[in-house]
Amino acid sequence: MIDKLRNLFTSALIQAFGDELSSIDPLVVPASNPKFGDYQCNVALSLAKTLQQPPRLIAQTIINNVKLDNFCEPLEIAGPGFINIKIKPEYIAKKIKLAYQDDYLGITKSDESYNIIVDFSSPNIAKEMHVGHLRSTIIGDSIARILELRGYNVLRLNHVGDWGTQFGMLINYLRTEKPEVLTTANAVEIGDLVTLYKQAKIKFDQDLDFQEQARQEVVKLQSKDPESIKAWQLLCEQSRREFEIIYQLLDIKLTERGESFYNPFLQDIITDLEDANILTEDQGAKCVFLDGFVNKEGNPLPLIVQKSDGGYNYATTDLAALKYRINEDKARRIIYVTDAGQSNHFAQVFQVAKKANFIPENVELVHVPFGLVLAEDGKKIKTRSGETIRLKDLLDEAVNRAKLDLQKRLQTEERNETEDFINQVSKIVGLSAVKYADLSQNRTTDYKFSYDKMLSLQGNTAPYLLYVYVRVQGISRKGNIDLNNLNSETPIIFTQDSELVLAKHLLQLDFIIKEVEKDLLPNRLCLYLFELSQKFNQFYDQCPILQAEEKIKLSRLVLADLTAKVIKLGLSLLGISVLERM
Ligand code: ARG
């Protein structure tokens, strides 16, 4: 609808003021307040200066030139020159029928399908997968799902930190402290591996001999010494098994392509930068000086791509990865989902890649930053004894609490359910709550992790939305109606305001999805679904369904079923599945 309006207003602008305005954005947006109608066109205000005319006059000229095809009520000018647009109910009814027939409920495919890479999750071997990685996993997965539904070829890449000098340190430590880890599979729990890693780091920082041995380990590993490679592989497998538990639990699909994959291409990057004449040597290190990044003294900062000892950096790997993703993967949009702490890193890598001419015109690089996850007291999330929380424990806790809530509710409602039912419902509710709590926040801000809030049946939470879906299934059970048999030719009749309000909201889905595709903010989809649920609940309070006369009953059933379907599809794009009962 909004696209249609945009086209109509663009034509009107050309008609009224000439071809020069053909590339102007007509500024058609959903109305800021329903009392102004459904949409508004704000272009008259922004044209006042160029056209040297009062905005209200411009608005009137536009109105005189729009060919509305009869799907809107007469246009009205408001305030300083806004044009209010109200869609006719007949048109809404027609669109609802179309959406109801459509497998994607009105979500359109993109005009062009190209390759997009979403680089997300990306934990580090032998280190903890922490809440930051959980956030990246949840947000990245949702973005990937949305882009997939829009018809792009999405490559979901797990850029695991599986290479670097830390392996020399760790292997050297394990050789004396726990040699079996280096030769036998599953000889250590990941938690213990993390502890060993920390101990190794302490020793590394204190002991010069140890440092030297660790460096030799790195050299051995780099020269592909079979014994070292074997040890490295075992360490990777160990961590991978642990990551896999989380991915399974959260239903995340990822292709692992860790940092080590790009080792063969690192030297080429140095050559490329040299050829592009942007490489400088500074105290033995090879680097590129950056625009717009200065140190405390105001001098330009370098991005080091090769250290004086010949080793490469995180940034070098990212440059190699970028080149590979463009030339081999043929990606047109590359999206990196990491904490906001890495914003500078990506800005610097992107700048150097552009300077080196790695990035063709039509390729877009985007860093999708997110804030911290904090405990309810605003501090870092920790266990009671002050240690970092294991992700598995955090997720299990959500499921356990969901189970307790459910058991309480069953008791009050005097319901009897099987153990299977209880387990399945608590698992979905608990995990959905964690995902939704994360996704419903504007990702750029920090958010406080609160089990109570995220599991509540009230407010912008997963359980609230899941419950709306359950409600609709309840209507069908109660009325003995197979929703699948509802005829998409059923006439949609609006007798109450709340029906029309709900219907209009249902038709916004396509617009919202396209917005998320553009700005990569899944919280906009969450807000949309939350508002849909609220509007459904108002409709449900005001409009009896099963008791209504046949024609109205059918129309309301279609609205209810379409709501349920939109919630199911919308939640699936957030990585959340629905329940028939809860
Ligand atoms: N392993 C990194 C970390 O844990 C994240 C990697 C993000 N992706 C990338 N291409 N740099 O912080």
Side-chain angles (χ1 to χ4, degrees), residues 468-515:
V468 169
Y469 183 84
V470 165
R471 228 173 191 183
V472 175
Q473 310 316 308
I475 300 170
S476 101
R477 277 193 299 271
K478 194 163 158 217
N480 223 339
I481 294 158
D482 185 351
L483 294 172
N484 297 318
N485 289 343
L486 275 183
N487 190 337
S488 52
E489 286 310 310
T490 312
I492 305 297
I493 309 161
F494 300 116
T495 63
Q496 303 281 326
D497 225 24
S498 57
E499 291 166 306
L500 194 58
V501 168
L502 175 64
K504 283 178 180 173
H505 198 78
L506 284 164
L507 296 179
Q508 299 280 328
L509 179 62
D510 181 50
F511 171 75
I512 294 292
I513 295 296
K514 285 182 185 151
E515 289 291 296

Side-chain angles (χ1 to χ4, degrees), residues 119-125 127-128 130 132-133 136 157-162 259 262 314-315 317-318 321 325 335-339 342 345-346 349:
D119 173 324
F120 70 104
S121 193
S122 309
N124 302 313
I125 301 291
K127 292 195 202 163
E128 225 132 12
H130 52 70
H133 295 121
S136 173
L157 285 185
N158 201 0
H159 191 81
V160 172
D162 64 354
E259 294 183 11
Y262 302 100
Y314 183 49
T317 307
D318 260 325
R325 290 167 181 188
I335 297 169
Y336 299 80
V337 188
T338 79
D339 62 285
Q342 299 198 34
H345 164 76
F346 285 108
V349 166

Side-chain angles (χ1 to χ4, degrees), residues 128 170 193-203 388:
E128 225 132 12
L170 182 60
L193 194 59
V194 171
T195 314
L196 288 163
Y197 183 89
K198 285 182 187 153
Q199 289 164 355
K201 178 88 176 82
I202 294 174
K203 183 143 187 199
T388 31

Side-chain angles (χ1 to χ4, degrees), residues 95-164:
K95 285 300 229 182
I96 287 284
K97 279 208 261 182
L98 287 175
Y100 194 54
Q101 282 165 22
D102 178 15
D103 286 344
Y104 298 103
L105 313 176
I107 300 179
T108 49
K109 297 274 167 194
S110 82
D111 301 334
E112 227 188 326
S113 167
Y114 47 78
N115 298 347
I116 300 183
I117 288 177
V118 187
D119 173 324
F120 70 104
S121 193
S122 309
N124 302 313
I125 301 291
K127 292 195 202 163
E128 225 132 12
M129 186 175 184
H130 52 70
V131 277
H133 295 121
L134 181 69
R135 253 202 124 170
S136 173
T137 306
I138 293 172
I139 296 172
D141 177 57
S142 174
I143 288 176
R145 284 172 190 260
I146 290 168
L147 297 172
E148 282 154 0
L149 186 78
R150 285 276 292 148
Y152 297 101
N153 274 321
V154 179
L155 182 54
R156 303 155 154 259
L157 285 185
N158 201 0
H159 191 81
V160 172
D162 64 354
W163 200 256

Side-chain angles (χ1 to χ4, degrees), residues 331-556:
R332 286 258 304 271
R333 196 176 187 203
I334 308 178
I335 297 169
Y336 299 80
V337 188
T338 79
D339 62 285
Q342 299 198 34
S343 295
N344 276 346
H345 164 76
F346 285 108
Q348 294 172 352
V349 166
F350 295 170
Q351 186 187 115
V352 171
K354 279 178 194 148
K355 283 193 165 136
N357 278 326
F358 288 173
I359 320 295
E361 281 292 324
N362 63 349
V363 171
E364 188 197 1
L365 310 177
V366 212
H367 178 223
V368 169
F370 53 80
L372 304 173
V373 186
L374 303 169
E376 280 185 87
D377 58 7
K379 297 195 184 130
K380 250 180 123 177
I381 297 200
K382 292 208 177 98
T383 60
R384 254 180 234 136
S385 54
E387 279 146 55
T388 31
I389 284 198
R390 289 185 54 222
L391 292 189
K392 175 77 169 58
D393 295 341
L394 181 133
L395 297 173
D396 287 348
E397 173 78 10
V399 173
N400 283 339
R401 293 201 188 204
K403 191 168 177 176
L404 289 177
D405 285 358
L406 175 60
Q407 281 165 335
K408 243 189 259 160
R409 200 152 46 80
L410 291 180
Q411 223 166 31
T412 5
E413 291 171 13
E414 297 185 4
R415 272 166 65 191
N416 241 330
E417 298 287 356
T418 62
E419 200 52 35
D420 261 6
F421 174 88
I422 296 179
N423 287 335
Q424 204 224 348
V425 172
S426 352
K427 186 171 168 197
I428 294 203
V429 170
L431 298 177
S432 308
V434 173
K435 283 189 180 181
Y436 192 86
D438 198 318
L439 292 166
S440 57
Q441 302 292 320
N442 181 320
R443 58 174 165 72
T444 54
T445 53
D446 298 346
Y447 86 95
K448 289 185 184 157
F449 191 93
S450 159
Y451 288 115
D452 286 340
K453 270 205 195 116
M454 69 178 71
L455 287 167
S456 166
L457 273 166
Q458 297 307 323
N460 189 5
T461 65
Y464 181 73
L465 304 198
L466 289 172
Y467 197 69
V468 169
Y469 183 84
V470 165
R471 228 173 191 183
V472 175
Q473 310 316 308
I475 300 170
S476 101
R477 277 193 299 271
K478 194 163 158 217
N480 223 339
I481 294 158
D482 185 351
L483 294 172
N484 297 318
N485 289 343
L486 275 183
N487 190 337
S488 52
E489 286 310 310
T490 312
I492 305 297
I493 309 161
F494 300 116
T495 63
Q496 303 281 326
D497 225 24
S498 57
E499 291 166 306
L500 194 58
V501 168
L502 175 64
K504 283 178 180 173
H505 198 78
L506 284 164
L507 296 179
Q508 299 280 328
L509 179 62
D510 181 50
F511 171 75
I512 294 292
I513 295 296
K514 285 182 185 151
E515 289 291 296
V516 180
E517 171 182 330
K518 247 190 302 181
D519 55 22
L520 307 172
L521 289 169
N523 62 302
R524 300 196 57 176
L525 176 57
C526 295
L527 184 63
Y528 167 80
L529 293 173
F530 175 52
E531 287 175 353
L532 177 64
S533 304
Q534 289 179 313
K535 288 178 174 152
F536 174 81
N537 285 336
Q538 271 152 21
F539 154 80
Y540 187 73
D541 283 348
Q542 283 172 19
C543 304
I545 300 182
L546 296 175
Q547 294 89 329
E549 67 168 273
E550 190 62 15
K551 268 193 162 163
I552 296 183
K553 171 174 141 184
L554 288 176
S555 164
R556 288 179 181 168

